Amino acid sequence: MRLSARVDYALRAAAELASVADGTTGRGRPVTAEQIARAQEIPPKFLESILLQLRRGGIVHAQRGPEGGYWLARPASEISLAEVIRVIDGPLAHIRGQRPEQLGYHGAARALQDVWIALRASERQILELVTIADVASGTLPSRVNELAADPRAWS
């Protein structure tokens, strides 16, 4: 699985916003893009465009002015990693720019389509299970901890 720098930065920015948010409303004090960029070592100009995408995708709200900044649109526990990834990069699994179910494999390669669909389902299980709140708190679901604890996962 490859994630773009945009997705990595978006997830880190959302986690940063979750760290200052109220757990029930998602609303915390507005955090400026500059504060997020500094805390997560993200290039500020790049972050601005990512935050705009997150705002358009309904992940964050923004307010201009001296008291302005960004905050999560909903509680972090209601925002999955999969949702953020889809807002930034689109569908979770593409093969040559197509969804796996749209591919036309023939003959000996026919089973590859099922492999790509199973891979997407596996990715989706984890990415929809883990929320921004889980990441911000450092308390991941037990299934994720089990998978990450397997030494084979690290190579």
Side-chain angles (χ1 to χ4, degrees), residues 129-147:
L129 175 65
V130 181
T131 67
I132 296 299
D134 296 330
V135 173
S137 70
T139 307
L140 298 173
S142 60
R143 178 68 180 134
V144 174
N145 288 328
E146 289 168 16
L147 289 169

Side-chain angles (χ1 to χ4, degrees), residues 75-155:
S77 61
E78 295 177 12
I79 303 170
S80 71
L81 301 188
E83 183 179 357
V84 174
I85 292 168
R86 287 184 188 112
V87 164
I88 299 297
D89 273 357
L92 293 180
H94 272 183
I95 313 300
R96 299 183 330 243
Q98 294 181 305
R99 298 174 64 97
E101 61 273 12
Q102 296 171 331
L103 298 172
Y105 289 109
H106 304 284
R110 181 178 224 113
L112 279 175
Q113 185 173 34
D114 289 340
V115 172
W116 303 148
I117 290 171
L119 178 63
R120 179 181 59 190
S122 178
E123 272 182 10
R124 185 180 288 149
Q125 280 182 337
I126 296 298
L127 295 173
E128 289 180 352
L129 175 65
V130 181
T131 67
I132 296 299
D134 296 330
V135 173
S137 70
T139 307
L140 298 173
S142 60
R143 178 68 180 134
V144 174
N145 288 328
E146 289 168 16
L147 289 169
D150 183 345
R152 295 172 297 177
W154 292 84
S155 57

Side-chain angles (χ1 to χ4, degrees), residues 7-22 26 29 31 35-36 39-40 42 47 50-51 54 59-60 70-72 74-77 79-81 84 130-140:
V7 165
D8 180 51
Y9 292 159
L11 292 169
R12 290 164 50 192
E16 191 65 30
L17 291 172
S19 73
V20 299
D22 175 280
R29 62 177 168 74
V31 181
Q35 290 169 317
I36 297 167
Q40 290 297 318
I42 301 171
L47 179 61
I50 292 166
L51 289 168
L54 292 174
I59 304 290
V60 301
Y70 297 88
W71 63 93
L72 294 175
R74 314 188 293 284
S77 61
I79 303 170
S80 71
L81 301 188
V84 174
V130 181
T131 67
I132 296 299
D134 296 330
V135 173
S137 70
T139 307
L140 298 173

